[in-house]
Amino acid sequence: MVSLKTVIKSVIPSWIATYKMREKGILLTFDDGPSPDITPHILDVLKYHQIKAVFFILGKQAQLYPEIIQRIVADGHYIGNHSFAHKTADEIGFKAYANDIKHCQTILKPFIAATPRLFRPPQGKLSVSAWSAIQCNHMQVILWSIESGEWGQYSHQSVDQMLARLVSEIQPHDIVLMHDNSSKVLLLLEKLIPILIEKKHVFVDPKQAFPCVYKY
C-alpha cells in the first residue's frame, strides 16, 4: 500500500524540494559527515564501484576534518550543505537558521572554488520558515524517497534487515538517504551495491543530474 507521505512527496514541485531523480537511476546521498572513522571507508567502496554520490556536509564536521572534504571533492563527488550545527528552523528560528546555512556555505566554498547550491534540511524538516531561509541562501532542497534506516523509524533494524528492505523496495529514480557517520551504513553499502549492480540498477552521477548547480 502506498503511504500518504509517499503521495504527498509525489505532488510537491521540484522548485520546492526534490524527492526523486528525473534520471532513471539511483542517487546515493550521505548526511552528517564527514566522520574520520567511516567516511574514508565509504569513499573506498564508492571508488571501487566507480559510483559518485552527494555528501551533505555539516559545517562543524568540515572544520574538524578538512582533509576528508578534500578527498570527497578529489574523488569526484558532490558536496551539499547540511547546515553548520544540525539545528532545525523550529529549534533556532528563521534568522539563526539562515545564518547557520550561510556559515556552512562559507566553510564549504573554498573546497570547490564555488558556492554549493544543494541543501538538505537537518532531520528533513522543511517548514515555511526553513524554506524561506534556504531561499535566502539561493539553494535547492534535496530530500529523499527512501532511507537506509540507521536513523529514524528503521533504526531498530539490523544491517541484514535494512539490506532486505532496500533490495525489495528500491526503484529507479530513488534518492537514497544514508549517514556517513554510521558503521551500519558501511556494512550495508558493502553488501547493497553489488546486489543492485547485479539487478541491473544504474547510479546517477550528480554532476550530470545537477550540471548548473556549480562547477569545480
Side-chain angles (χ1 to χ4, degrees), residues 79-81 105 112 115-119 137-142 212-214:
I79 285 179
N81 184 323
Q105 290 287 77
I112 58 171
T115 302
R117 296 297 182 194
L118 302 184
F119 182 76
N137 281 283
H138 310 290
M139 305 202 76
Q140 178 179 346
V141 178
I142 307 295
C212 298
V213 174
Y214 57 65

Side-chain angles (χ1 to χ4, degrees), residues 149-158 162 184:
E150 71 286 350
W151 169 86
Q153 64 177 318
Y154 301 113
S155 59
H156 64 284
Q157 291 186 336
S158 68
M162 292 160 61
K184 268 188 175 183

Side-chain angles (χ1 to χ4, degrees), residues 53-193:
V54 181
F55 287 80
F56 287 98
I57 304 294
L58 287 178
K60 62 182 182 180
Q61 292 298 108
Q63 284 185 326
L64 293 173
Y65 308 108
E67 70 284 354
I68 303 179
I69 305 295
Q70 290 170 348
R71 183 182 168 189
I72 291 171
V73 173
D75 282 2
H77 303 290
Y78 244 28
I79 285 179
N81 184 323
H82 194 41
S83 81
F84 177 82
H86 205 271
K87 300 292 184 182
T88 69
D90 291 342
E91 289 176 307
I92 61 177
F94 168 81
K95 185 174 181 181
Y97 189 76
N99 288 336
D100 193 66
I101 296 171
K102 187 176 181 180
H103 188 188
C104 186
Q105 290 287 77
T106 301
I107 294 167
L108 296 180
K109 186 175 179 180
F111 291 102
I112 58 171
T115 302
R117 296 297 182 194
L118 302 184
F119 182 76
R120 176 165 286 163
Q123 301 179 32
K125 291 188 175 179
L126 191 60
S127 62
V128 172
S129 178
W131 192 81
S132 299
I134 295 163
Q135 294 309 298
C136 287
N137 281 283
H138 310 290
M139 305 202 76
Q140 178 179 346
V141 178
I142 307 295
L143 291 172
W144 61 87
S145 54
I146 190 168
E147 58 190 86
S148 52
E150 71 286 350
W151 169 86
Q153 64 177 318
Y154 301 113
S155 59
H156 64 284
Q157 291 186 336
S158 68
V159 171
D160 286 340
Q161 287 174 322
M162 292 160 61
L163 178 67
R165 176 174 48 81
L166 283 178
V167 169
S168 66
E169 294 181 1
I170 203 163
Q171 297 291 329
H173 308 285
D174 272 334
I175 299 176
V176 184
L177 166 66
M178 298 181 169
H179 292 80
D180 58 319
N181 61 357
S182 168
S183 58
K184 268 188 175 183
V185 165
L186 178 57
L187 294 173
L188 172 66
L189 204 62
E190 290 172 339
K191 296 180 178 183
L192 177 65
I193 290 177

